[in-house]
Amino acid sequence: MTEKVSVTIDGAIIRAPKGLSILDAALDHGICIPHLCRVPAISDLGACRLCIVEHIQNGRSKVTTSCTLVVKEGMVIHSNTEKIKRLRRNIAELLVAEAPNSRAVQDVAMRCGVKEVRYPFRNNNCILCGRCVRICTGRLGEKAIGFVGRGMDRRVVAPFDLKSKLCRECGWCSDLCPMTMTPCGGPMHKGQERLCTNCESKQTSLDQMTGYCVACYFGKGFQCERHPERFTGIEE
Amino acid sequence: MNKIHSLDRLRNFRQGIIDQRKKFAATMIICGGTGCQASRSKDVIEAIQNELASQGLTEKVHVRATGCHGFCEQGPILVIEPGNIFYCHLTPEDAQEIVSKTIQKNEIIERLQYKDPVSGNRILTEAEIPFYRAQNRLLLSMNRLVNPGDIEDYIAIGGYSALGKTLAELSPDAVIQEITAAGLRGRGGGGFPTGKKWTETRNADGDEKYVICNADEGDPGAYMDRCVLEGNPHLVIEGMMIGAWAVGAFKGYIYVRNEYPLAVKNTRIAIQQARDLGILGENIFGSSFSFDIEIARGGGAFVCGESTALMASIEGKVGEPRAKDVHTAVDGLWHKPTTLNNVETWANVPAIIHNGSAWFAAMGSKGSKGTKILALTGHIKNTGLVEVEMGTTLNSVVFDIGGGSSDGKAVKAVQTGGPSGGCLPVDKFHLPVDFDELYAAGSMIGSGGFVVMGQNTCMVDVAKYFLTFLQDESCGKCVPCRLGIDRMLEIVTDITEGRGKPEQLDLLEELGATTSETSLCGLGKTAANPALSTLRYFREEYEAHIHNKKCPAGMCQALITYQIDSETCTACGACMTACPYKAITGEKKQIPTIQLELCQKCGICRSECKFESIQVN
Amino acid sequence: MPQTTLDTILDGRRSQPHQLIEVLQDVQAQNGYISEEAMRAVSKELGVTLLEVYRVASFYKAFSLSPRGKNVITVCTGTACHVRGAKLLINQATAQIGVETGKMSADGLFTIENVNCLGACALGPVVTTNTDYHHHMSPGKMRKLIKSYQKNNKEEAANE
């Protein structure tokens, strides 16, 4: 049997197997910490930073991503403080301004409390979450695509920006891609940097359920495995 | 070559070198660092050697081509001992006169003497120069004593004896205790207590451990690591060896920028010479300690200053940082316990072991001990590397050592710590050079770049400069750093181009705070500092750009126009020749006019005009 | 690049993945840039996937993936050089040669690059052409420097 350790997340004492990340431990116990770049059962990047939590150590709080933080006996974690909510909202705002053209990103932004976006929209095709890269190199071991370049030139391509010979066209990459989800029909254009009213009405109920799984509308291949039954009939 | 396999051999070897050099009546110390090489010091050295040979003095005068002395602006530099005579701005043509007058007859050549820009006086000796006088050159002063390409020089000044003492007398725990008691903190930027880091690696599980020297000085405006590694590589190697003994490492890496070709070359030579003498290798000085060092050249990425990225780079991978919930001291290079310190930190180690921790801890301020090398540059009279005791005030650095602003106007600010640091205005110059005090003021010592800014520097432009730099250097892995910096740059660009809105300043502050709190690595965590510190201390400049659409310093291209002042213009035509866009036209001996529709506002005409006739509106 | 050069570079480094950056540095130095062919060869010889070689080559600034001009003019844009007018030098060079930074000029004579610091801050603004250092540069000095290279090239062409 796997050894277990006790951690405290938002006041709840949780017994989690050694080696598990705080994010997985929380999700397993119904505490929904928002996340985007995570791919279940594959090593985490810590790229989207949405799953940040406050880790209390020696009386001092440190902001860190829960997906890269491994459970340790006696750890104290706060996932939903005012500070975390503010920081998470700012990150989500940056993300949605980059790609308002994806339902997944819209959902995450809404989930993190973004109402108005203070940056001009960009409608990028990729938010560099790396889900495709990790399924390709991590689970399938193919290494057909990867992150290339750096900074603003960073992109996901195959060597020399051509189609890789290693690609078996399994399609996992596009299944996991948040950008393949058709956005809602709200005002998603430059100059109308808001989320639609539909999202806003959901926001009210979310505010009352913070910290719990709200079964947000991530599409096929994207769902966190918490409530698979809710995704059998995807609402459009 | 005979190997030095015991401490006695080291002592004899050293005595032999000293005896052999007694024949020299004088020593000519010539700087051959990167800065002086740019000023043709190689030719000067050659000319002097030829001249000594032709006057039959080769056996009497020792010529030592050293590493950087830190006063690059005056290069090439020559110091003649005994007498401490200081000559600067040498050319190969001066060699004949120097040898026949100063060496042969003790005559001073006035035109080669240093002229103090503050008083205008000629100064005879190196020790009297104000630039050097106010410093405490613990590390830098050693550079003039050694030729970096000659291990004998280093051994002659007592080199590797601290290592000898360590291996003969001190247990690893005793070494760590000394370093901890000395209060040495990391010189690379973070100021992390070195002893604590070493303890973590020492206590970590596993037999395979590493030490690394970070010489990837990516911080623009800082070059002390280049100077120390290039000028005195054995000092760094000795420091690493003592550290390796303490933490239990058998292998070290020096990660050095490829943009520093001379440092790479000198370090290679030094490692080879140490191997040849058996100082690096198996059973060093007859002890149980074995150690070797390899060089890894950086590929030009600022983010590789971050420990996890640097280690990935040594492993031959892309320099992307990873989460550091477990310190690299425990989980580092190839997932083995690794101690990573910066060049200057390692260089401080031998002297601490040699002189004892109390000696080191007696220098400096409460929380910051010893000395710090600063790269003093920008709009200032004396530029160069200065080494001061921790706790020295910024006033003393900028005015006593630096001699104040270069154009006679008031100094506006000093930017400390490079892209991770911030700008401090003149009314903060009472602050000491101290890790904690500068941090509290919204800046940091960082690696020690001190760029002085005058009235012509626009602080919004400074923020834009650093954000552009950081956007270029961010690895792009995490959202707050990649997009946060990009959006901050977007806002600052809006402001400098006259599209700024008042509410953007609050957004800039909020975004800066988010980037600092949530980024994955140190690059992102400190990326907002230049923008936040300029906003904190120079908010009125931001507001002038937003409300009045004016750039007070006259730097932001979109907000200015150029005009030729007909009263001071002498119609020399220099601006017409200079303008690469052919936007300045006019007849011969007539005052030219600027064609505004062609003018790109590049500022080249203004910099080329000798009469300050190009005005900014 | 010739196979023999590549062989010399790879000598003693084959099948050592951690030597990737060192090898690419040498290829860059020998060849002026890193070609697709070189990357494929390095990938095979070091035992590193092609993807990883391409990632590394595209990540580090030291590596150029396209050919560079006969003369590489590198303008230091470190902080000290920036406040002393490095931008003017880039303006001068790009306007005079008629090519943006990072690209090769149409005649293949020049590439203008910027580097974040050459560590000669006290002498700023600093420019290097190939391996020569030029200190205390001004737009005027830059103009003459570029002209001298253009003139040399014309003379060389005439002599051939």
Side-chain angles (χ1 to χ4, degrees), chain B residues 571-594:
Chain B
C572 68
C575 53
M576 283 159 61
T577 329
C579 178
Y581 304 101
K582 307 209 180 338
I584 306 180
T585 52
E587 296 298 312
K588 257 190 186 164
K589 294 192 179 165
Q590 296 272 314
I591 290 172
T593 44
I594 299 176

Side-chain angles (χ1 to χ4, degrees), chain B residues 35 72-73 220 223 226 257-258 297-300 313 315 317-319 377-379 383 465 469 472-473 578 602 608, chain C residues 18 21-22 25-26 59-62 77-80 82-84 88 91 116-117 119 121 123 133 136 139-140 143:
Chain B
C72 312
E73 176 122 71
Y223 58 105
R226 165 180 78 64
R257 292 181 82 196
N258 208 29
R297 284 174 293 165
S313 187
E315 292 169 16
K317 296 179 189 149
V318 168
T377 57
H379 296 292
T383 61
Y465 165 77
F469 171 87
D472 198 32
E473 293 293 345
C602 67
E608 291 293 287
Chain C
H18 78 278
I21 295 172
E22 288 283 310
Q25 292 271 20
D26 290 342
F59 183 86
Y60 292 101
K61 217 171 170 175
T77 50
T79 322
H82 173 78
V83 300
R84 287 190 185 175
L88 300 184
N91 288 346
N116 282 330
C117 190
C121 312
L123 303 173
Y133 283 78
H136 293 112
R143 189 175 68 235

Side-chain angles (χ1 to χ4, degrees), chain B residues 3-13 164 277-279 283-287:
Chain B
K3 300 228 171 194
I4 299 177
H5 46 63
S6 71
L7 270 180
D8 281 338
R9 284 288 323 244
L10 180 69
R11 260 175 241 129
N12 292 341
F13 189 78
L277 284 177
I279 292 173
N283 301 101
I284 295 158
F285 297 152
S287 72

Side-chain angles (χ1 to χ4, degrees), chain B residues 498-517:
Chain B
R499 295 185 301 270
K501 298 184 201 93
E503 64 269 22
Q504 280 183 317
L505 293 184
D506 297 334
L507 180 58
L508 192 60
E509 272 173 344
E510 194 180 335
L511 183 54
T514 305
T515 310
S516 310
E517 286 272 9

Side-chain angles (χ1 to χ4, degrees), chain B residues 407-456:
Chain B
D407 56 6
K409 292 180 197 158
V411 170
K412 189 193 253 182
V414 62
Q415 205 283 338
T416 72
S420 308
C423 289
L424 295 171
V426 179
D427 62 20
K428 294 278 172 210
F429 278 21
H430 61 278
L431 289 174
V433 174
D434 178 293
F435 288 114
D436 311 309
E437 298 244 11
L438 290 190
Y439 185 77
S443 185
M444 62 200 285
I445 296 184
S447 57
F450 270 50
V451 185
V452 176
M453 294 170 176
Q455 297 300 322
N456 289 342

Side-chain angles (χ1 to χ4, degrees), chain B residues 99-113:
Chain B
V99 175
S100 40
K101 283 194 180 158
T102 312
I103 297 289
Q104 298 268 39
K105 299 183 207 153
N106 247 334
E107 273 175 39
I108 303 299
I109 306 162
E110 203 190 293
R111 75 182 157 82
L112 297 177
Q113 283 185 306

Side-chain angles (χ1 to χ4, degrees), chain B residues 15-29 49 52-53 56-65 80-83 103 145 147 150 152-153 156:
Chain B
Q15 199 53 49
I17 301 165
I18 295 171
D19 290 343
Q20 194 198 341
R21 290 183 179 179
K22 278 184 180 151
K23 66 180 180 188
F24 294 122
T27 307
M28 298 177 83
I29 302 163
Q49 274 166 337
L52 287 172
L57 291 169
T58 313
E59 287 299 306
K60 286 194 181 137
V61 179
H62 182 50
V63 176
R64 187 188 299 139
I80 301 171
E81 296 284 7
I103 297 289
L145 301 177
N147 173 343
D150 188 354
E152 293 190 358
D153 276 4

